[in-house]
Amino acid sequence: MEKGSPEPDWAGLLPELVALICEKASSTIARYIHLRLVCKAWRRALNRPRNLPPQAPWLLLPRITEGEGSDRSDELVFYDPFQSKTHQFLSPYINGKHISGSSYGWLVLEHDLKFSLFNPITQCTIDLPSFTVPATFLDFDTLGRCALKAMLSGNPSEEGCVVVAWFSVYTNWELGFCRIGDTHWTGLLTGDNRQHLLDFACHKNLVYTVNEGKKVSVYDLHDLSMRTFPSEIEYNGQNRLTFERIYLVHGDSESGEPLVVRRTAEDSITKEVFVYKWFDDRQQWCQVQNIGKRVFFLDNKHCINLQLEEGQEERRDNELYYDVRRYLSDSTPTFFGGNFRVGINQVDLNTGMHVPLNHSPTGVFLFDVFQLPMWVTPSLI
């Protein structure tokens, strides 16, 4: 721009021209958000883009409010590690609510045994049934929550969407579910089982579970039938030196069978990560070194299975990211609070070993020992 020339009047553009610009430029949710920030006229003219390709996930950072609990905040801060950008959303609705999980861009919120869904980008909310527990169980959790993990079977806009929750050991259930519009939760797995739950995942109307007995089972929510795979997974549990964490993640649409991710740690540091797939011809779980065009993202609770399309700038294949590490500096890890940089480990699936840590080049964030970063796939639906 030449010196002395007038500033461009972005707000004065014809609405039809703004709509055309936005249609061409809104190839990702991040770009859509940036376009909305230009001015009020652009926000009015900008329609939500439809049929966007799958978006690379962002990290939902811990919610910190000085002098109050981690849930006492109405601000959500997301960090995009692949673009090294931070996105902030003011969301009064979440103040005082605990985030039990995330699926398809929606957060599962809990407060005083009341549950709801919340999309942090669109600010849309959906009420879920309250959870009822006997009076003797009301002291179930010092953090004021009863759901240890929650996830959705699909986008809430889809018919038959199911919310599945892993409840505290102080309740009568380990797993329960409800459909959008239900008036109550339905028990799926009771807490009196000898082998406690290690993890669960859901996809469409199927819920996959794995327990301490190394057994993987599949529940069909249509008729509540259940089947168990005849072979056990490889799992060594925990001892003085090592700790293993098992994740379940739904497989591709063709096989429909889940994949098992096993992470081994020593002194709280992840050493190896392996992926296992069920082979019918062998009737056992076997390690695989190639997950095709999919990318896995692990956090403390979930494993996201994502397939990015051709032409996306974030396109990655056969990769697994895990263990968001907290660092006071480039070499000193911390697990007790303070400032930290986001660090993401990537796994070489051929060896199970991690590749060098890729920490954020910019941005130092606050850390709460009771709250860990969570992967969230942004969605406008």
Side-chain angles (χ1 to χ4, degrees), residues 68-360:
E68 298 182 357
S70 59
D71 293 343
R72 296 294 178 183
S73 171
D74 56 7
E75 184 180 57
L76 291 174
V77 180
F78 295 89
Y79 178 72
D80 181 349
F82 302 108
Q83 300 296 324
S84 298
K85 294 181 179 178
T86 301
H87 306 281
Q88 295 177 288
F89 299 89
L90 188 62
S91 308
Y93 181 79
I94 66 165
N95 195 307
K97 297 180 175 66
H98 173 73
I99 300 175
S100 299
S102 171
S103 301
Y104 299 92
W106 291 73
L107 305 179
V108 183
L109 304 179
E110 175 191 353
H111 176 65
D112 290 340
L113 302 179
K114 297 178 181 178
F115 289 85
S116 62
L117 302 179
F118 176 66
N119 187 318
I121 298 180
T122 65
Q123 302 287 298
C124 292
T125 64
I126 300 175
D127 289 332
L128 299 175
S130 298
F131 183 72
T132 303
V133 295
T136 53
F137 293 106
L138 289 181
D139 58 346
F140 45 85
D141 193 327
T142 57
L143 296 178
R145 63 192 182 197
C146 69
L148 303 178
K149 172 182 174 178
M151 62 189 310
L152 285 69
S153 65
N155 193 288
S157 64
E158 300 173 357
E159 185 178 356
C161 175
V162 178
V163 182
V164 183
W166 178 1
F167 291 105
S168 163
V169 294
Y170 297 103
T171 65
N172 290 326
W173 302 341
E174 276 200 301
L175 276 184
F177 72 94
C178 69
R179 290 183 172 85
I180 305 297
D182 281 356
T183 59
H184 62 277
W185 289 82
T186 300
L188 185 64
L189 183 64
T190 60
D192 57 1
N193 292 278
R194 294 184 179 180
Q195 305 293 344
H196 289 296
L197 197 66
L198 290 177
D199 195 25
F200 80 94
C202 59
H203 182 59
K204 298 187 182 299
N205 275 287
L206 298 179
V207 178
Y208 314 110
T209 66
V210 58
N211 62 24
E212 292 176 337
K214 309 179 185 179
K215 290 290 188 179
V216 177
S217 300
V218 184
Y219 293 82
D220 190 326
L221 298 183
H222 282 303
D223 55 11
L224 298 186
S225 61
M226 184 268 286
R227 64 182 175 90
T228 299
F229 289 87
S231 177
E232 297 178 351
I233 62 170
E234 184 175 346
Y235 174 67
N236 299 314
Q238 183 176 2
N239 56 44
R240 288 192 310 164
L241 299 177
T242 62
F243 171 79
E244 286 193 357
R245 173 79 164 86
I246 294 293
Y247 299 84
L248 283 182
V249 57
H250 70 80
D252 55 43
S253 57
E254 294 181 1
S255 68
E257 306 293 15
L259 297 173
V260 176
V261 180
R262 181 170 64 95
R263 184 171 74 174
T264 302
E266 295 181 7
D267 297 327
S268 300
I269 305 299
T270 298
K271 294 298 183 183
E272 296 175 319
V273 180
F274 298 104
V275 179
Y276 299 86
K277 180 180 179 180
W278 177 258
F279 287 84
D280 275 328
D281 56 343
R282 307 178 197 176
Q283 287 291 289
Q284 64 180 357
W285 297 95
C286 299
Q287 182 185 341
V288 294
Q289 276 123 17
N290 193 318
I291 55 176
K293 297 182 181 299
R294 290 170 293 189
V295 185
F296 287 175
F297 297 86
L298 273 64
D299 58 33
N300 191 49
K301 291 184 177 181
H302 303 85
C303 181
I304 294 178
N305 176 1
L306 187 64
Q307 181 171 331
L308 302 180
E309 297 181 354
E310 293 286 354
Q312 283 186 259
E313 60 186 17
E314 301 96 344
R315 173 67 189 269
R316 290 169 170 81
D317 289 342
N318 196 39
E319 293 184 355
L320 188 152
Y321 296 87
Y322 75 98
D323 193 15
V324 181
R325 302 283 299 284
R326 299 163 297 282
Y327 282 80
L328 281 173
S329 65
D330 289 344
S331 59
T332 307
T334 176
F335 298 93
F336 301 101
N339 295 331
F340 77 105
R341 289 184 182 274
V342 174
I344 305 170
N345 284 306
Q346 182 182 343
V347 176
D348 180 347
L349 289 176
N350 292 312
T351 64
M353 306 298 289
H354 69 82
V355 298
L357 184 70
N358 173 31
H359 64 74
S360 60

Side-chain angles (χ1 to χ4, degrees), residues 31-75:
R31 291 178 181 176
Y32 166 78
I33 293 172
H34 293 155
L35 289 171
R36 284 179 55 86
L37 296 176
V38 172
C39 61
K40 291 182 179 179
W42 281 48
R43 276 199 298 276
R44 288 193 298 266
L46 183 58
N47 296 319
R48 292 181 190 173
R50 298 288 180 177
N51 303 317
L52 284 177
Q55 307 288 293
W58 298 343
L59 279 171
L60 173 58
L61 300 178
R63 294 153 58 199
I64 305 294
T65 300
E66 189 172 352
E68 298 182 357
S70 59
D71 293 343
R72 296 294 178 183
S73 171
D74 56 7
E75 184 180 57

